[in-house]
Amino acid sequence: MLATETHVATTSASRYLQQLCKHWSHKFAVEFTPEKGLIPFADDRTAKLEATADTLTMRIEAADAEVLARMEGVVVEHLKRFSFREDLGEIRWTRAQ
């Protein structure tokens, strides 16, 4: 599995984590608390979220680079919908181990 990660500076990290998880819980077996979330999109792709007081960390794991890139876009698109009142700046993903 390939992995990519981003760290988004925001004091609303927990709120966004919960919104993202609740949004996808209608389709997937999502698990989450105010601090951590797991979204199993499919057998070959997942998103892991972690919230601290000032940072939302998002990690995506996927079987190949094409799916990984697509999932990065999908997750960011949804985050930006929920955070429309806040400018989160440019969200950059980096390859993770």
Side-chain angles (χ1 to χ4, degrees), residues 44-76:
D44 65 344
R45 63 193 88 150
T46 61
K48 296 177 183 178
L49 312 174
E50 187 170 332
T52 63
D54 60 1
T55 304
L56 174 62
T57 299
M58 300 185 293
R59 178 184 176 95
I60 297 174
E61 297 177 356
D64 63 62
E66 184 179 324
V67 172
L68 193 65
R70 189 170 61 244
M71 295 309 301
E72 288 173 348
V74 167
V75 171
V76 168

Side-chain angles (χ1 to χ4, degrees), residues 29-43:
V30 174
E31 299 173 18
F32 69 98
T33 67
E35 297 83 24
K36 293 187 183 235
L38 173 65
I39 306 165
F41 290 108
D43 290 340

Side-chain angles (χ1 to χ4, degrees), residues 15-30:
R15 181 166 55 101
Y16 297 148
L17 178 152
Q18 293 176 72
Q19 284 179 300
L20 288 165
C21 288
K22 286 177 186 176
H23 174 76
W24 277 305
S25 69
H26 302 289
K27 291 185 176 182
F28 308 106
V30 174

